Amino acid sequence: LVVPAIRGVDFSIDAGAFVCFVGPSGSGKTTLLNLIGCLDRPTAGSLNVLDTEVGDLDRRRAAAFRGEHIGFVFQDFNLIPVLTAHENVEYPLIMVQHWPPAERRERVRNLLAAAGIEAQADKRPDQLSGGQKQRVALARAFATEPAILLADEPTGNLDGATGRGIVDLLFDLHERRGTTLIL
């Protein structure tokens, strides 16, 4: 059974833009982010991200492209439960970009501070509130200095005040880094 999720879409996003896709549940927002982020492959058409036809990439090359150019913030955080906040943010710097240890530690400390979560650096996800988990997820998403940050309902699991804080943090990080932000 084939269920078309996204049809007849044609758009471009300028580098450094902050773009929000809105629509009802089931309208294809997450699918679109997964396509842009090389988690899913288009079955038809073309998808060009940063001058790369990502629909043509095999799984290994898609993962490498994603690791080099794209950061993700998921609604359900997707933190690794056995790792501390520091280790979760550090993970892509080890696994994807192979940063030297001293530079990695400093980068992670700076990101945790920017996210206002440095005091929780040694806590595992089960020891953090929802807002703290989302701040760790944001720091991790920015760790590799991605050209594009994809945020799939980053405030969906949070209370109003915490959600506003996360949006403010997204705006601040976007402004300071010039990352293309797709929400």
Side-chain angles (χ1 to χ4, degrees):
L1 176 67
V2 175
V3 177
I6 300 174
R7 290 173 295 204
V9 176
D10 186 4
F11 66 92
S12 63
I13 298 172
D14 292 332
F18 190 150
V19 176
C20 296
F21 289 103
V22 295
S25 180
S27 64
K29 300 179 303 291
T30 296
T31 300
L32 182 60
L33 291 181
N34 287 345
L35 287 166
I36 294 169
C38 304
L39 291 175
D40 291 337
R41 291 182 59 161
T43 54
S46 66
L47 179 58
N48 187 291
V49 178
L50 300 172
D51 297 324
T52 299
E53 181 56 45
V54 296
D56 293 341
L57 300 177
D58 62 31
R59 286 179 57 153
R60 184 186 59 73
R61 288 178 35 228
F65 180 84
R66 183 174 52 249
E68 183 69 26
H69 302 290
I70 299 172
F72 276 95
V73 180
F74 298 95
Q75 182 177 358
D76 59 1
F77 319 124
N78 283 353
L79 298 176
I80 301 170
V82 297
L83 300 182
T84 65
H86 180 100
E87 292 165 338
N88 266 282
V89 175
E90 184 179 40
Y91 189 77
L93 298 174
I94 296 170
M95 299 304 292
V96 177
Q97 293 192 350
H98 314 292
W99 282 45
E103 291 177 35
R104 236 182 15 236
R105 283 188 295 277
E106 182 175 344
R107 174 105 177 112
V108 172
R109 275 193 300 272
N110 290 338
L111 286 164
L112 290 172
I117 197 88
E118 66 273 24
Q120 283 72 33
D122 294 328
K123 293 183 179 178
R124 288 185 319 277
D126 65 344
Q127 299 169 309
L128 301 172
S129 71
Q132 291 170 331
K133 289 177 189 175
Q134 195 62 294
R135 289 173 179 275
V136 173
L138 278 169
R140 181 187 57 196
F142 276 99
T144 60
E145 299 181 341
I148 299 171
L149 181 82
L150 304 173
D152 190 5
E153 297 187 36
T155 61
N157 284 327
L158 306 174
D159 64 80
T162 304
R164 281 188 295 283
I166 295 298
V167 170
D168 289 344
L169 181 59
L170 280 168
F171 275 115
D172 182 55
L173 290 171
H174 163 71
E175 286 291 318
R176 284 195 282 142
R177 302 190 191 287
T179 302
T180 302
L181 183 55
I182 305 173
L183 189 67

